[in-house]
Amino acid sequence: MDQDIVKIFDTTLRDGEQSPGASMNTEEKIKIAKQLEKLKVDIIEAGFAAASPGDFNAIKRISEVVEGSIVCSLARALEKDIKAAADAIAMAKKKRIHTFIATSPIHMEYKLKMKPEDVIKRAVDSVTYARTFVDDVEFSCEDAGRSEIGFLKEILDEVIKAGATTLNIPDTVGYRLPHEMGELIKELHTFVGNRATLSVHCHNDLGLAVANSMFSILNGARQIECTINGLGERAGNAALEEVVMILKTRKDIFGNIDTKINTKEIVPSSRLVANITGIEPQPNKAIVGKNAFAHESGIHQDGVLKNSQTYEIMSASEIGLDQSSSIVLGKHSGRHAFREKIKELGFEVGEDELNRAFDRFKLLCDKKKEVYDDDIRMIIGDETSNIPNTFELIGIQLSDCSLGGMPYAAISIKHEEKITNDAAIGNGSIDAIFKTIDRVCGYSGQLLDYKVEAVSRGKDALAKVVVKVVFDDDKPAVIGHGLNIDTILASGKAYVNALNSYLSMKEFLKSKMDDSQGI
Ligand code: KIV
Ligand code: ZN
């Protein structure tokens, strides 16, 4: 039986970035784009070129490095947006422009203040203009979930004639129920036939984004717009990993319909996105939550040990979790084995990064009984971060952590080859550390979020601390990561990393301003 392929259009870097607090810098976006290419997504929506110089630059850089997936930029149905999108993706091997305009009565009347006939004209003009740059043009009817079907047919008919090759039906506000979404797609599919690919883009406001996507596939949609970990505006988009694994697991319902996704890259993709954005999937999140393959009850554990299929409908290795590895690293492993392990985990690193990571691995082996793949992934992630170490945390000493006491922290920080020591008290150890770092470095951060979790198993597990800090009310919050076997040191490192990230963002914005002023 021939496979019937559903294209996976990943919008983690565009709609996903619209999740509150998920903004990413260019280097982080490039890392995610490369991972999405490995995951074998068909299309990467790399951003919204006209939104900001930072977005434009990130799309341009992604277009230069991604070869296997189509690189796409979003554009409002405006000439200047479409031109910016075309310029940003110009270098991509395979490219697409995605243009959109709202089609629901409420959006047309109140947001666009346009008559339906003018909306159709604008859509046609935009698709026509986009086709002067690329052959692959997607058109979206924003808020299609609340649009009139007669109007949808009218506008889709016109944009097909103007050259649109993919027609996207977004349930922008996550309003539809699965059977309603299915009926809408069925009617539109009959109407469009094979003149263009029908796509859906479902939001999760009522927790139905994935269900609505699946009912759309059953009724003719052959492109699904989705994000890693279900990130996205408000309650998010359909989660890529869920859509893909439903198709794989329920062949009895979906038959030969499948995707081209390399499912073994699902967990690495999920981890990378969580790490970069600082937004961890909830523990009970389907497929990629920490508990998704954990069996707590004795009856379940007994069943799984006898036959995993008693309580597991998918295997953990299918999604890249706990894959049995040919290389087990330990205290006596050398650089060669370490290099091979890194390759096996799918990383490409330079010689300097490899050497630094190897030194950290050796230090870790002295402190920790077993070193897991997750530990290695974290060390590599840390060492390949492109944030310059403007400030470097050398050490922390804490005193008086007694009940009712007043903790204070003494800190050593290196900056431009000079080491400064200082100490301050705080309402708790972490508060004391962060206040002292502020004082030594001459900045004042407002801590918005602090999370700590164990990277792998055991009391000697590496601690990963993620902080979200605002250093300047006029600039967005930055995420900082810290990794150490000692949670206190990991916390200090995370805060210093956030400060370094803020300084590098400031530097980047300044260089953009200088560029635009011709300096
Ligand atoms: O939710 C939405 O309607 C969108 C479009 C721009 C596709 O994100
Ligand atoms: Zn959306």
Side-chain angles (χ1 to χ4, degrees):
M1 203 168 22
D2 276 352
Q3 267 202 334
D4 184 355
I5 294 296
V6 172
K7 288 184 188 152
I8 294 295
F9 177 112
D10 181 279
T11 183
T12 308
L13 297 174
R14 200 276 299 167
D15 216 320
E17 205 201 13
Q18 291 171 216
S19 308
S23 42
M24 303 165 231
N25 65 36
T26 303
E27 300 305 328
E28 292 169 337
K29 285 184 181 176
I30 293 172
K31 262 194 201 171
I32 293 181
K34 284 186 173 165
Q35 177 59 35
L36 292 172
E37 188 182 22
K38 246 192 204 168
L39 181 64
K40 295 206 187 313
V41 307
D42 298 275
I43 303 108
I44 298 173
E45 187 163 54
F48 187 167
S52 70
D55 258 47
F56 181 90
N57 192 44
I59 301 168
K60 191 162 170 278
R61 298 269 312 276
I62 290 169
S63 300
E64 287 161 3
V65 295
V66 167
E67 295 198 334
S69 311
I70 295 171
V71 180
C72 168
S73 169
L74 184 66
R76 285 170 299 180
L78 293 172
E79 228 176 77
K80 68 175 171 69
D81 274 32
I82 294 167
K83 175 78 171 75
D87 289 347
I89 59 169
M91 295 299 289
K93 196 161 168 205
K94 299 189 263 178
K95 39 187 168 259
R96 171 180 293 189
I97 295 176
H98 174 195
T99 185
F100 73 99
I101 192 163
T103 51
S104 64
I106 185 169
H107 275 229
M108 290 193 287
E109 184 179 346
Y110 294 99
K111 188 181 82 171
L112 298 175
K113 298 190 189 340
M114 283 172 77
K115 294 202 194 85
E117 55 272 28
D118 296 331
V119 168
I120 295 184
K121 179 166 181 335
R122 177 84 75 75
V124 168
D125 289 349
S126 302
V127 170
T128 309
Y129 184 51
R131 279 298 304 254
T132 64
F133 299 103
V134 288
D135 293 336
D136 186 347
V137 173
E138 171 169 337
F139 173 75
S140 281
C141 309
E142 191 191 10
D143 203 17
R146 293 186 300 170
S147 301
E148 286 161 8
I149 186 138
F151 185 62
L152 286 178
K153 286 183 185 169
E154 220 180 306
I155 197 165
L156 293 181
D157 204 31
E158 294 302 326
V159 294
I160 293 172
K161 286 187 221 150
T165 43
T166 300
L167 307 174
N168 185 37
I169 310 298
D171 185 22
T172 303
V173 290
Y175 180 71
R176 291 222 158 212
L177 299 182
H179 72 281
E180 291 175 314
M181 193 73 194
E183 280 159 18
L184 173 66
I185 296 304
K186 187 173 187 177
E187 193 163 338
L188 291 179
H189 184 236
T190 309
F191 177 73
V192 170
N194 59 10
R195 292 186 291 160
T197 301
L198 210 52
S199 164
V200 296
H201 173 112
C202 300
H203 276 273
N204 207 29
D205 299 67
L206 293 172
L208 294 169
V210 170
N212 283 345
S213 303
M214 301 324 288
F215 270 71
S216 300
I217 292 174
L218 287 172
N219 286 285
R222 285 297 175 269
Q223 174 178 285
I224 297 296
E225 302 203 354
C226 46
T227 56
I228 302 291
N229 298 342
L231 286 184
E233 185 84 39
R234 304 182 309 279
N237 289 70
L240 178 149
E241 58 277 7
E242 295 178 30
V243 172
V244 169
M245 291 314 290
I246 292 170
L247 287 177
K248 269 224 143 7
T249 308
R250 294 307 307 270
K251 293 241 168 275
D252 54 329
I253 302 293
F254 291 92
N256 59 343
I257 306 175
D258 206 346
T259 67
K260 290 191 192 144
I261 293 295
N262 174 4
T263 59
K264 289 201 187 295
E265 292 296 335
I266 284 180
V267 166
S269 307
S270 166
R271 296 264 163 87
L272 180 68
V273 169
N275 224 353
I276 286 177
T277 59
I279 304 174
E280 280 292 329
Q282 73 206 46
N284 58 337
K285 159 93 179 58
I287 319 290
V288 292
K290 267 208 152 142
N291 298 345
F293 286 85
H295 299 279
E296 180 70 25
S297 104
I299 299 173
H300 288 209
Q301 287 171 350
D302 178 57
V304 167
L305 288 172
K306 286 174 176 150
N307 178 340
S308 63
Q309 284 177 18
T310 51
Y311 288 101
E312 279 179 3
I313 57 171
M314 300 162 268
S315 79
S317 66
E318 224 179 329
I319 58 160
L321 187 71
D322 276 347
Q323 275 168 262
S324 65
S325 163
S326 50
I327 306 162
V328 180
L329 290 183
K331 206 178 169 76
H332 303 291
S333 308
R335 206 174 293 264
H336 180 71
F338 187 70
R339 189 195 301 271
E340 288 308 306
K341 165 62 88 183
I342 286 173
K343 264 199 223 151
E344 188 186 271
L345 294 176
F347 291 102
E348 285 165 32
V349 298
E351 208 53 28
D352 283 354
E353 289 153 343
L354 181 104
N355 289 339
R356 285 199 306 269
F358 182 68
D359 290 345
R360 280 181 67 177
F361 158 71
K362 279 292 188 188
L363 281 175
L364 189 63
C365 289
D366 281 340
K367 295 188 174 162
K368 204 168 176 305
K369 262 203 329 243
E370 282 175 90
V371 177
Y372 299 99
D373 286 0
D374 271 348
D375 297 324
I376 309 285
R377 279 194 190 98
M378 284 294 155
I379 291 176
I380 297 293
D382 225 26
E383 285 304 333
T384 53
S385 141
N386 291 309
I387 312 283
N389 266 342
T390 312
F391 290 100
E392 192 186 339
L393 180 67
I394 304 294
I396 300 178
Q397 259 190 325
L398 276 181
S399 347
D400 197 3
C401 299
S402 61
L403 277 180
M406 184 61 92
Y408 73 89
I411 304 271
S412 298
I413 285 191
K414 190 159 145 193
H415 176 53
E416 293 174 347
E417 298 308 315
K418 188 171 158 247
I419 294 182
T420 309
N421 302 302
D422 202 349
I425 53 170
N427 290 322
S429 307
I430 301 296
D431 187 42
I433 291 168
F434 293 176
K435 275 191 180 136
T436 318
I437 294 173
D438 275 351
R439 210 154 79 183
V440 172
C441 303
Y443 290 87
S444 173
Q446 190 196 338
L447 185 68
L448 301 185
D449 202 5
Y450 170 94
K451 280 191 216 116
V452 59
E453 68 170 57
V455 168
S456 51
R457 288 153 274 179
K459 284 190 191 133
D460 60 355
L462 269 179
K464 182 178 102 179
V465 174
V466 181
V467 294
K468 191 168 165 189
V469 191
V470 171
F471 285 99
D472 180 341
D473 288 339
D474 294 337
K475 305 258 176 335
V478 283
I479 302 282
H481 302 269
L483 192 67
N484 201 277
I485 204 156
D486 183 315
T487 310
I488 295 294
L489 255 182
S491 304
K493 280 172 154 233
Y495 194 81
V496 172
N497 179 248
L499 177 57
N500 287 335
S501 174
Y502 162 72
L503 295 173
S504 121
M505 171 178 73
K506 233 171 86 173
E507 204 47 45
F508 172 75
L509 293 176
K510 187 171 166 296
S511 71
K512 283 284 139 202
M513 286 270 284
D514 292 350
D515 280 356
S516 65
Q517 288 163 5
I519 296 170

